[in-house]
Amino acid sequence: MHEHIAEAVKEPDVVTVPPGAICLRFETMKLYSALGAVRHLLDTGQVKPGDTLIDSSSGIYAHALALACHRHGLNCHIVGSTTIDRTLRVQLEILGATLEQVRPSQNLRLDQNLRVQRIGELLQQNPHYHWMRQYHDAIHYLGYRDIADLIRKEVPNGPLSLVGGVGTGASTGAIATYLREAGRDVTLIGVQPFGSVTFGAEHVSDPDMIIAGIGSSIPFHNVRHHLYDRIHWINFDYAMSGAIELLRASGIFAGLSAGAAYLTTLWEQKQDTDPTYIFLAADTGHRYVDTAYAHHTAAPGLGTMRPHEVTTQNELKHPWSAMNWPPPDNGLLHDAPALMAEPA
């Protein structure tokens, strides 16, 4: 029996998806990040019950942090994007979290910069607040050890290919790290939207892309580039088609990042059938109903889709590009310095 709904909600469903891949389907995967980080802060005395935790979010992390704070008797304040909808706003209010949303902006970079700027102002006014820094603090790796342990138990020994959105770096990067530490042979394949600076695609825009959670317009220190073996950049139309086909093939109703990961998995599986392929469906598809799923009859089929294979970011192009990582003579990207020691 679980002591709190947060522990129950975070558990993924492990589902076999045709043709033989494994999907880890989460209601909200970032609960692992939030719960692991909050537990660490409490255990080390950096925060105590009654303190206020603050962070920026476009939606999913806000819910996860609010649940973690509710679980452990902490206050929660979110500086949110305008993408946070009424359903989540009401839940945050009832959970006791406070939310302020930045003004509407025309692009992701401005939205993220406005949120970070506002957090700086709040910390000046309230220096006792603890900023969670989900993008930069390595404590967000800690909770994902449980997912690595789950994979070790559920998936037979042998080489693994883990596919999922890069995002803040603390999900796919952490799971692969803990699996490798346990001796598993893991190929890590990251999924990115065009326009993300994380792996050097900021020069190729995708105005329709609304899966900001797997990419970024600002550098994230939690992304450790050396952990990744392959990167796929997928645009909105192809991610939408992947999500729709995932629902059609398996019944899994998941977000656009899952659609992109599924499309990537299908391609990689054709190239190398030896590993067991595991892809992440980090959230449900509810917030994409109007923008993506409602257009399912017009979505292109997967049959002719294939990535444009590149060796340098200068060659990236729509609708789908892929690259072995690191590229030859890569001088563009380096891991940011860790803000704390590697997770134990």
Side-chain angles (χ1 to χ4, degrees), residues 62-99:
H63 186 219
L65 185 60
L67 283 172
C69 288
H70 186 273
R71 165 72 175 85
H72 291 288
L74 295 155
N75 298 314
C76 177
H77 184 79
I78 299 295
V79 177
S81 168
T82 54
T83 58
I84 294 181
D85 60 19
R86 182 173 182 270
T87 300
L88 180 53
R89 289 199 306 269
V90 171
Q91 288 185 75
L92 294 176
E93 182 179 351
I94 296 173
L95 285 169
T98 53
L99 167 69

PDB file of all heavy atoms in Angstrom, residues 62-99:
ATOM      1  N   ALA A  62       5.694  21.151 -12.764  1.00  0.00           N
ATOM      2  CA  ALA A  62       4.916  21.874 -11.750  1.00  0.00           C
ATOM      3  C   ALA A  62       4.026  20.909 -10.974  1.00  0.00           C
ATOM      4  O   ALA A  62       3.963  20.948  -9.733  1.00  0.00           O
ATOM      5  CB  ALA A  62       4.073  22.952 -12.421  1.00  0.00           C
ATOM      6  N   HIS A  63       3.340  20.035 -11.696  1.00  0.00           N
ATOM      7  CA  HIS A  63       2.478  19.045 -11.048  1.00  0.00           C
ATOM      8  C   HIS A  63       3.294  18.089 -10.188  1.00  0.00           C
ATOM      9  O   HIS A  63       2.916  17.772  -9.048  1.00  0.00           O
ATOM     10  CB  HIS A  63       1.700  18.275 -12.121  1.00  0.00           C
ATOM     11  CG  HIS A  63       0.688  17.325 -11.564  1.00  0.00           C
ATOM     12  ND1 HIS A  63       0.461  16.077 -12.110  1.00  0.00           N
ATOM     13  CD2 HIS A  63      -0.145  17.429 -10.501  1.00  0.00           C
ATOM     14  CE1 HIS A  63      -0.478  15.455 -11.413  1.00  0.00           C
ATOM     15  NE2 HIS A  63      -0.865  16.249 -10.432  1.00  0.00           N
ATOM     16  N   ALA A  64       4.421  17.629 -10.712  1.00  0.00           N
ATOM     17  CA  ALA A  64       5.267  16.690  -9.974  1.00  0.00           C
ATOM     18  C   ALA A  64       5.801  17.315  -8.694  1.00  0.00           C
ATOM     19  O   ALA A  64       5.775  16.699  -7.620  1.00  0.00           O
ATOM     20  CB  ALA A  64       6.422  16.219 -10.862  1.00  0.00           C
ATOM     21  N   LEU A  65       6.292  18.546  -8.779  1.00  0.00           N
ATOM     22  CA  LEU A  65       6.853  19.200  -7.592  1.00  0.00           C
ATOM     23  C   LEU A  65       5.752  19.501  -6.578  1.00  0.00           C
ATOM     24  O   LEU A  65       5.969  19.355  -5.363  1.00  0.00           O
ATOM     25  CB  LEU A  65       7.583  20.481  -7.986  1.00  0.00           C
ATOM     26  CG  LEU A  65       8.313  21.205  -6.848  1.00  0.00           C
ATOM     27  CD1 LEU A  65       9.370  20.307  -6.212  1.00  0.00           C
ATOM     28  CD2 LEU A  65       8.949  22.502  -7.352  1.00  0.00           C
ATOM     29  N   ALA A  66       4.585  19.908  -7.047  1.00  0.00           N
ATOM     30  CA  ALA A  66       3.475  20.166  -6.131  1.00  0.00           C
ATOM     31  C   ALA A  66       3.088  18.902  -5.367  1.00  0.00           C
ATOM     32  O   ALA A  66       2.825  18.950  -4.148  1.00  0.00           O
ATOM     33  CB  ALA A  66       2.279  20.715  -6.898  1.00  0.00           C
ATOM     34  N   LEU A  67       3.047  17.760  -6.057  1.00  0.00           N
ATOM     35  CA  LEU A  67       2.730  16.499  -5.386  1.00  0.00           C
ATOM     36  C   LEU A  67       3.825  16.111  -4.390  1.00  0.00           C
ATOM     37  O   LEU A  67       3.530  15.636  -3.285  1.00  0.00           O
ATOM     38  CB  LEU A  67       2.530  15.392  -6.414  1.00  0.00           C
ATOM     39  CG  LEU A  67       1.199  15.393  -7.164  1.00  0.00           C
ATOM     40  CD1 LEU A  67       1.218  14.354  -8.283  1.00  0.00           C
ATOM     41  CD2 LEU A  67       0.032  15.120  -6.215  1.00  0.00           C
ATOM     42  N   ALA A  68       5.088  16.298  -4.773  1.00  0.00           N
ATOM     43  CA  ALA A  68       6.196  15.969  -3.869  1.00  0.00           C
ATOM     44  C   ALA A  68       6.155  16.852  -2.622  1.00  0.00           C
ATOM     45  O   ALA A  68       6.395  16.373  -1.500  1.00  0.00           O
ATOM     46  CB  ALA A  68       7.532  16.128  -4.594  1.00  0.00           C
ATOM     47  N   CYS A  69       5.862  18.130  -2.795  1.00  0.00           N
ATOM     48  CA  CYS A  69       5.768  19.036  -1.653  1.00  0.00           C
ATOM     49  C   CYS A  69       4.573  18.664  -0.773  1.00  0.00           C
ATOM     50  O   CYS A  69       4.657  18.688   0.468  1.00  0.00           O
ATOM     51  CB  CYS A  69       5.642  20.481  -2.132  1.00  0.00           C
ATOM     52  SG  CYS A  69       7.169  21.158  -2.823  1.00  0.00           S
ATOM     53  N   HIS A  70       3.451  18.312  -1.381  1.00  0.00           N
ATOM     54  CA  HIS A  70       2.275  17.872  -0.627  1.00  0.00           C
ATOM     55  C   HIS A  70       2.605  16.627   0.167  1.00  0.00           C
ATOM     56  O   HIS A  70       2.202  16.485   1.345  1.00  0.00           O
ATOM     57  CB  HIS A  70       1.132  17.607  -1.618  1.00  0.00           C
ATOM     58  CG  HIS A  70      -0.177  17.291  -0.971  1.00  0.00           C
ATOM     59  ND1 HIS A  70      -0.544  16.015  -0.608  1.00  0.00           N
ATOM     60  CD2 HIS A  70      -1.223  18.099  -0.636  1.00  0.00           C
ATOM     61  CE1 HIS A  70      -1.754  16.033  -0.082  1.00  0.00           C
ATOM     62  NE2 HIS A  70      -2.198  17.294  -0.083  1.00  0.00           N
ATOM     63  N   ARG A  71       3.353  15.720  -0.441  1.00  0.00           N
ATOM     64  CA  ARG A  71       3.734  14.467   0.231  1.00  0.00           C
ATOM     65  C   ARG A  71       4.591  14.724   1.458  1.00  0.00           C
ATOM     66  O   ARG A  71       4.458  14.041   2.487  1.00  0.00           O
ATOM     67  CB  ARG A  71       4.499  13.587  -0.775  1.00  0.00           C
ATOM     68  CG  ARG A  71       5.286  12.414  -0.179  1.00  0.00           C
ATOM     69  CD  ARG A  71       4.343  11.323   0.291  1.00  0.00           C
ATOM     70  NE  ARG A  71       5.068  10.167   0.756  1.00  0.00           N
ATOM     71  CZ  ARG A  71       5.556  10.030   1.999  1.00  0.00           C
ATOM     72  NH1 ARG A  71       5.416  11.013   2.877  1.00  0.00           N
ATOM     73  NH2 ARG A  71       6.185   8.928   2.367  1.00  0.00           N
ATOM     74  N   HIS A  72       5.463  15.723   1.419  1.00  0.00           N
ATOM     75  CA  HIS A  72       6.446  15.919   2.485  1.00  0.00           C
ATOM     76  C   HIS A  72       6.216  17.185   3.311  1.00  0.00           C
ATOM     77  O   HIS A  72       7.091  17.581   4.073  1.00  0.00           O
ATOM     78  CB  HIS A  72       7.853  15.949   1.884  1.00  0.00           C
ATOM     79  CG  HIS A  72       8.296  14.626   1.346  1.00  0.00           C
ATOM     80  ND1 HIS A  72       8.639  13.561   2.154  1.00  0.00           N
ATOM     81  CD2 HIS A  72       8.438  14.176   0.053  1.00  0.00           C
ATOM     82  CE1 HIS A  72       8.989  12.522   1.401  1.00  0.00           C
ATOM     83  NE2 HIS A  72       8.870  12.867   0.139  1.00  0.00           N
ATOM     84  N   GLY A  73       5.062  17.818   3.174  1.00  0.00           N
ATOM     85  CA  GLY A  73       4.754  18.952   4.022  1.00  0.00           C
ATOM     86  C   GLY A  73       5.546  20.200   3.720  1.00  0.00           C
ATOM     87  O   GLY A  73       5.904  20.956   4.637  1.00  0.00           O
ATOM     88  N   LEU A  74       5.804  20.468   2.454  1.00  0.00           N
ATOM     89  CA  LEU A  74       6.542  21.644   2.018  1.00  0.00           C
ATOM     90  C   LEU A  74       5.631  22.562   1.219  1.00  0.00           C
ATOM     91  O   LEU A  74       4.654  22.120   0.614  1.00  0.00           O
ATOM     92  CB  LEU A  74       7.739  21.225   1.160  1.00  0.00           C
ATOM     93  CG  LEU A  74       8.825  20.417   1.862  1.00  0.00           C
ATOM     94  CD1 LEU A  74       9.596  19.576   0.858  1.00  0.00           C
ATOM     95  CD2 LEU A  74       9.764  21.333   2.636  1.00  0.00           C
ATOM     96  N   ASN A  75       5.968  23.831   1.195  1.00  0.00           N
ATOM     97  CA  ASN A  75       5.255  24.779   0.350  1.00  0.00           C
ATOM     98  C   ASN A  75       5.873  24.770  -1.046  1.00  0.00           C
ATOM     99  O   ASN A  75       7.068  24.500  -1.207  1.00  0.00           O
ATOM    100  CB  ASN A  75       5.321  26.183   0.944  1.00  0.00           C
ATOM    101  CG  ASN A  75       4.667  26.258   2.312  1.00  0.00           C
ATOM    102  OD1 ASN A  75       3.573  25.750   2.509  1.00  0.00           O
ATOM    103  ND2 ASN A  75       5.343  26.888   3.266  1.00  0.00           N
ATOM    104  N   CYS A  76       5.066  25.110  -2.039  1.00  0.00           N
ATOM    105  CA  CYS A  76       5.520  25.054  -3.431  1.00  0.00           C
ATOM    106  C   CYS A  76       5.058  26.299  -4.168  1.00  0.00           C
ATOM    107  O   CYS A  76       3.889  26.681  -4.085  1.00  0.00           O
ATOM    108  CB  CYS A  76       4.942  23.807  -4.110  1.00  0.00           C
ATOM    109  SG  CYS A  76       5.330  23.635  -5.865  1.00  0.00           S
ATOM    110  N   HIS A  77       6.009  26.931  -4.873  1.00  0.00           N
ATOM    111  CA  HIS A  77       5.670  28.088  -5.709  1.00  0.00           C
ATOM    112  C   HIS A  77       6.222  27.849  -7.106  1.00  0.00           C
ATOM    113  O   HIS A  77       7.405  27.528  -7.274  1.00  0.00           O
ATOM    114  CB  HIS A  77       6.262  29.377  -5.137  1.00  0.00           C
ATOM    115  CG  HIS A  77       5.852  30.602  -5.911  1.00  0.00           C
ATOM    116  ND1 HIS A  77       4.628  31.198  -5.754  1.00  0.00           N
ATOM    117  CD2 HIS A  77       6.499  31.317  -6.869  1.00  0.00           C
ATOM    118  CE1 HIS A  77       4.536  32.244  -6.569  1.00  0.00           C
ATOM    119  NE2 HIS A  77       5.656  32.335  -7.259  1.00  0.00           N
ATOM    120  N   ILE A  78       5.372  27.988  -8.107  1.00  0.00           N
ATOM    121  CA  ILE A  78       5.742  27.720  -9.496  1.00  0.00           C
ATOM    122  C   ILE A  78       5.673  29.003 -10.313  1.00  0.00           C
ATOM    123  O   ILE A  78       4.664  29.723 -10.263  1.00  0.00           O
ATOM    124  CB  ILE A  78       4.807  26.666 -10.132  1.00  0.00           C
ATOM    125  CG1 ILE A  78       4.903  25.333  -9.389  1.00  0.00           C
ATOM    126  CG2 ILE A  78       5.120  26.487 -11.607  1.00  0.00           C
ATOM    127  CD1 ILE A  78       6.252  24.654  -9.477  1.00  0.00           C
ATOM    128  N   VAL A  79       6.730  29.280 -11.050  1.00  0.00           N
ATOM    129  CA  VAL A  79       6.703  30.314 -12.078  1.00  0.00           C
ATOM    130  C   VAL A  79       6.446  29.578 -13.384  1.00  0.00           C
ATOM    131  O   VAL A  79       7.308  28.845 -13.875  1.00  0.00           O
ATOM    132  CB  VAL A  79       8.006  31.109 -12.134  1.00  0.00           C
ATOM    133  CG1 VAL A  79       7.956  32.135 -13.266  1.00  0.00           C
ATOM    134  CG2 VAL A  79       8.265  31.800 -10.804  1.00  0.00           C
ATOM    135  N   GLY A  80       5.245  29.739 -13.914  1.00  0.00           N
ATOM    136  CA  GLY A  80       4.813  28.877 -14.997  1.00  0.00           C
ATOM    137  C   GLY A  80       4.717  29.558 -16.340  1.00  0.00           C
ATOM    138  O   GLY A  80       4.580  30.785 -16.447  1.00  0.00           O
ATOM    139  N   SER A  81       4.766  28.724 -17.360  1.00  0.00           N
ATOM    140  CA  SER A  81       4.532  29.170 -18.720  1.00  0.00           C
ATOM    141  C   SER A  81       3.042  29.402 -18.939  1.00  0.00           C
ATOM    142  O   SER A  81       2.192  28.903 -18.189  1.00  0.00           O
ATOM    143  CB  SER A  81       5.047  28.109 -19.697  1.00  0.00           C
ATOM    144  OG  SER A  81       4.610  28.370 -20.999  1.00  0.00           O
ATOM    145  N   THR A  82       2.720  30.139 -19.971  1.00  0.00           N
ATOM    146  CA  THR A  82       1.317  30.332 -20.324  1.00  0.00           C
ATOM    147  C   THR A  82       0.679  29.036 -20.816  1.00  0.00           C
ATOM    148  O   THR A  82      -0.543  28.969 -20.960  1.00  0.00           O
ATOM    149  CB  THR A  82       1.173  31.405 -21.421  1.00  0.00           C
ATOM    150  OG1 THR A  82       2.000  31.060 -22.536  1.00  0.00           O
ATOM    151  CG2 THR A  82       1.588  32.764 -20.898  1.00  0.00           C
ATOM    152  N   THR A  83       1.482  27.989 -21.074  1.00  0.00           N
ATOM    153  CA  THR A  83       0.939  26.712 -21.532  1.00  0.00           C
ATOM    154  C   THR A  83       0.254  25.935 -20.411  1.00  0.00           C
ATOM    155  O   THR A  83      -0.409  24.929 -20.684  1.00  0.00           O
ATOM    156  CB  THR A  83       2.043  25.830 -22.141  1.00  0.00           C
ATOM    157  OG1 THR A  83       3.068  25.612 -21.157  1.00  0.00           O
ATOM    158  CG2 THR A  83       2.653  26.501 -23.363  1.00  0.00           C
ATOM    159  N   ILE A  84       0.420  26.345 -19.159  1.00  0.00           N
ATOM    160  CA  ILE A  84      -0.258  25.660 -18.063  1.00  0.00           C
ATOM    161  C   ILE A  84      -1.758  25.924 -18.168  1.00  0.00           C
ATOM    162  O   ILE A  84      -2.207  27.071 -18.129  1.00  0.00           O
ATOM    163  CB  ILE A  84       0.285  26.134 -16.702  1.00  0.00           C
ATOM    164  CG1 ILE A  84       1.755  25.702 -16.551  1.00  0.00           C
ATOM    165  CG2 ILE A  84      -0.549  25.572 -15.559  1.00  0.00           C
ATOM    166  CD1 ILE A  84       2.389  26.105 -15.244  1.00  0.00           C
ATOM    167  N   ASP A  85      -2.539  24.851 -18.299  1.00  0.00           N
ATOM    168  CA  ASP A  85      -3.964  25.013 -18.570  1.00  0.00           C
ATOM    169  C   ASP A  85      -4.786  25.049 -17.280  1.00  0.00           C
ATOM    170  O   ASP A  85      -4.279  24.879 -16.173  1.00  0.00           O
ATOM    171  CB  ASP A  85      -4.467  23.916 -19.504  1.00  0.00           C
ATOM    172  CG  ASP A  85      -4.278  22.507 -18.937  1.00  0.00           C
ATOM    173  OD1 ASP A  85      -4.108  22.364 -17.702  1.00  0.00           O
ATOM    174  OD2 ASP A  85      -4.300  21.549 -19.725  1.00  0.00           O
ATOM    175  N   ARG A  86      -6.080  25.264 -17.451  1.00  0.00           N
ATOM    176  CA  ARG A  86      -6.976  25.432 -16.299  1.00  0.00           C
ATOM    177  C   ARG A  86      -7.020  24.175 -15.438  1.00  0.00           C
ATOM    178  O   ARG A  86      -7.085  24.254 -14.204  1.00  0.00           O
ATOM    179  CB  ARG A  86      -8.380  25.785 -16.796  1.00  0.00           C
ATOM    180  CG  ARG A  86      -9.386  26.031 -15.677  1.00  0.00           C
ATOM    181  CD  ARG A  86     -10.714  26.536 -16.244  1.00  0.00           C
ATOM    182  NE  ARG A  86     -11.656  26.816 -15.169  1.00  0.00           N
ATOM    183  CZ  ARG A  86     -12.518  25.921 -14.676  1.00  0.00           C
ATOM    184  NH1 ARG A  86     -12.529  24.687 -15.173  1.00  0.00           N
ATOM    185  NH2 ARG A  86     -13.358  26.238 -13.700  1.00  0.00           N
ATOM    186  N   THR A  87      -7.008  23.000 -16.067  1.00  0.00           N
ATOM    187  CA  THR A  87      -7.063  21.754 -15.302  1.00  0.00           C
ATOM    188  C   THR A  87      -5.912  21.673 -14.316  1.00  0.00           C
ATOM    189  O   THR A  87      -6.104  21.334 -13.136  1.00  0.00           O
ATOM    190  CB  THR A  87      -7.024  20.542 -16.255  1.00  0.00           C
ATOM    191  OG1 THR A  87      -8.136  20.603 -17.132  1.00  0.00           O
ATOM    192  CG2 THR A  87      -7.062  19.241 -15.475  1.00  0.00           C
ATOM    193  N   LEU A  88      -4.700  22.004 -14.770  1.00  0.00           N
ATOM    194  CA  LEU A  88      -3.544  21.950 -13.883  1.00  0.00           C
ATOM    195  C   LEU A  88      -3.575  23.095 -12.871  1.00  0.00           C
ATOM    196  O   LEU A  88      -3.216  22.907 -11.702  1.00  0.00           O
ATOM    197  CB  LEU A  88      -2.245  21.988 -14.701  1.00  0.00           C
ATOM    198  CG  LEU A  88      -0.949  21.944 -13.896  1.00  0.00           C
ATOM    199  CD1 LEU A  88      -0.933  20.752 -12.929  1.00  0.00           C
ATOM    200  CD2 LEU A  88       0.261  21.890 -14.821  1.00  0.00           C
ATOM    201  N   ARG A  89      -3.993  24.269 -13.300  1.00  0.00           N
ATOM    202  CA  ARG A  89      -4.053  25.405 -12.368  1.00  0.00           C
ATOM    203  C   ARG A  89      -4.943  25.091 -11.170  1.00  0.00           C
ATOM    204  O   ARG A  89      -4.594  25.376 -10.025  1.00  0.00           O
ATOM    205  CB  ARG A  89      -4.567  26.664 -13.083  1.00  0.00           C
ATOM    206  CG  ARG A  89      -3.597  27.273 -14.061  1.00  0.00           C
ATOM    207  CD  ARG A  89      -3.961  28.719 -14.382  1.00  0.00           C
ATOM    208  NE  ARG A  89      -5.330  28.879 -14.842  1.00  0.00           N
ATOM    209  CZ  ARG A  89      -5.710  28.828 -16.106  1.00  0.00           C
ATOM    210  NH1 ARG A  89      -4.796  28.601 -17.058  1.00  0.00           N
ATOM    211  NH2 ARG A  89      -6.978  29.012 -16.448  1.00  0.00           N
ATOM    212  N   VAL A  90      -6.085  24.487 -11.431  1.00  0.00           N
ATOM    213  CA  VAL A  90      -7.002  24.156 -10.346  1.00  0.00           C
ATOM    214  C   VAL A  90      -6.388  23.117  -9.420  1.00  0.00           C
ATOM    215  O   VAL A  90      -6.491  23.210  -8.184  1.00  0.00           O
ATOM    216  CB  VAL A  90      -8.346  23.668 -10.919  1.00  0.00           C
ATOM    217  CG1 VAL A  90      -9.239  23.118  -9.809  1.00  0.00           C
ATOM    218  CG2 VAL A  90      -9.054  24.801 -11.644  1.00  0.00           C
ATOM    219  N   GLN A  91      -5.729  22.096  -9.991  1.00  0.00           N
ATOM    220  CA  GLN A  91      -5.086  21.076  -9.157  1.00  0.00           C
ATOM    221  C   GLN A  91      -4.003  21.686  -8.276  1.00  0.00           C
ATOM    222  O   GLN A  91      -3.908  21.365  -7.076  1.00  0.00           O
ATOM    223  CB  GLN A  91      -4.473  19.990 -10.045  1.00  0.00           C
ATOM    224  CG  GLN A  91      -5.477  19.083 -10.717  1.00  0.00           C
ATOM    225  CD  GLN A  91      -4.780  17.966 -11.470  1.00  0.00           C
ATOM    226  OE1 GLN A  91      -4.283  17.003 -10.870  1.00  0.00           O
ATOM    227  NE2 GLN A  91      -4.733  18.083 -12.779  1.00  0.00           N
ATOM    228  N   LEU A  92      -3.180  22.554  -8.846  1.00  0.00           N
ATOM    229  CA  LEU A  92      -2.117  23.186  -8.068  1.00  0.00           C
ATOM    230  C   LEU A  92      -2.692  23.994  -6.907  1.00  0.00           C
ATOM    231  O   LEU A  92      -2.181  23.952  -5.779  1.00  0.00           O
ATOM    232  CB  LEU A  92      -1.269  24.091  -8.967  1.00  0.00           C
ATOM    233  CG  LEU A  92      -0.452  23.401 -10.061  1.00  0.00           C
ATOM    234  CD1 LEU A  92       0.250  24.439 -10.934  1.00  0.00           C
ATOM    235  CD2 LEU A  92       0.572  22.443  -9.469  1.00  0.00           C
ATOM    236  N   GLU A  93      -3.770  24.708  -7.191  1.00  0.00           N
ATOM    237  CA  GLU A  93      -4.395  25.523  -6.152  1.00  0.00           C
ATOM    238  C   GLU A  93      -4.892  24.662  -5.002  1.00  0.00           C
ATOM    239  O   GLU A  93      -4.667  24.973  -3.823  1.00  0.00           O
ATOM    240  CB  GLU A  93      -5.546  26.325  -6.760  1.00  0.00           C
ATOM    241  CG  GLU A  93      -6.245  27.243  -5.772  1.00  0.00           C
ATOM    242  CD  GLU A  93      -7.358  28.050  -6.417  1.00  0.00           C
ATOM    243  OE1 GLU A  93      -7.476  28.021  -7.669  1.00  0.00           O
ATOM    244  OE2 GLU A  93      -8.118  28.696  -5.677  1.00  0.00           O
ATOM    245  N   ILE A  94      -5.566  23.575  -5.318  1.00  0.00           N
ATOM    246  CA  ILE A  94      -6.108  22.710  -4.273  1.00  0.00           C
ATOM    247  C   ILE A  94      -4.997  22.000  -3.509  1.00  0.00           C
ATOM    248  O   ILE A  94      -5.102  21.776  -2.291  1.00  0.00           O
ATOM    249  CB  ILE A  94      -7.103  21.704  -4.882  1.00  0.00           C
ATOM    250  CG1 ILE A  94      -8.311  22.453  -5.463  1.00  0.00           C
ATOM    251  CG2 ILE A  94      -7.564  20.685  -3.847  1.00  0.00           C
ATOM    252  CD1 ILE A  94      -9.268  21.572  -6.240  1.00  0.00           C
ATOM    253  N   LEU A  95      -3.907  21.645  -4.195  1.00  0.00           N
ATOM    254  CA  LEU A  95      -2.762  21.007  -3.534  1.00  0.00           C
ATOM    255  C   LEU A  95      -2.010  21.967  -2.626  1.00  0.00           C
ATOM    256  O   LEU A  95      -1.139  21.544  -1.857  1.00  0.00           O
ATOM    257  CB  LEU A  95      -1.805  20.437  -4.581  1.00  0.00           C
ATOM    258  CG  LEU A  95      -2.252  19.154  -5.290  1.00  0.00           C
ATOM    259  CD1 LEU A  95      -1.344  18.858  -6.475  1.00  0.00           C
ATOM    260  CD2 LEU A  95      -2.267  17.976  -4.320  1.00  0.00           C
ATOM    261  N   GLY A  96      -2.323  23.259  -2.699  1.00  0.00           N
ATOM    262  CA  GLY A  96      -1.671  24.244  -1.847  1.00  0.00           C
ATOM    263  C   GLY A  96      -0.494  24.938  -2.491  1.00  0.00           C
ATOM    264  O   GLY A  96       0.165  25.767  -1.855  1.00  0.00           O
ATOM    265  N   ALA A  97      -0.214  24.617  -3.744  1.00  0.00           N
ATOM    266  CA  ALA A  97       0.880  25.293  -4.452  1.00  0.00           C
ATOM    267  C   ALA A  97       0.394  26.630  -4.983  1.00  0.00           C
ATOM    268  O   ALA A  97      -0.788  26.804  -5.289  1.00  0.00           O
ATOM    269  CB  ALA A  97       1.377  24.427  -5.600  1.00  0.00           C
ATOM    270  N   THR A  98       1.296  27.591  -5.072  1.00  0.00           N
ATOM    271  CA  THR A  98       0.967  28.876  -5.680  1.00  0.00           C
ATOM    272  C   THR A  98       1.614  28.948  -7.058  1.00  0.00           C
ATOM    273  O   THR A  98       2.703  28.425  -7.277  1.00  0.00           O
ATOM    274  CB  THR A  98       1.445  30.048  -4.810  1.00  0.00           C
ATOM    275  OG1 THR A  98       2.847  29.884  -4.509  1.00  0.00           O
ATOM    276  CG2 THR A  98       0.661  30.109  -3.505  1.00  0.00           C
ATOM    277  N   LEU A  99       0.897  29.594  -7.976  1.00  0.00           N
ATOM    278  CA  LEU A  99       1.341  29.664  -9.363  1.00  0.00           C
ATOM    279  C   LEU A  99       1.254  31.089  -9.862  1.00  0.00           C
ATOM    280  O   LEU A  99       0.252  31.773  -9.635  1.00  0.00           O
ATOM    281  CB  LEU A  99       0.456  28.771 -10.246  1.00  0.00           C
ATOM    282  CG  LEU A  99       0.572  28.942 -11.762  1.00  0.00           C
ATOM    283  CD1 LEU A  99       1.919  28.434 -12.257  1.00  0.00           C
ATOM    284  CD2 LEU A  99      -0.577  28.223 -12.472  1.00  0.00           C
TER     285      LEU A  99
END
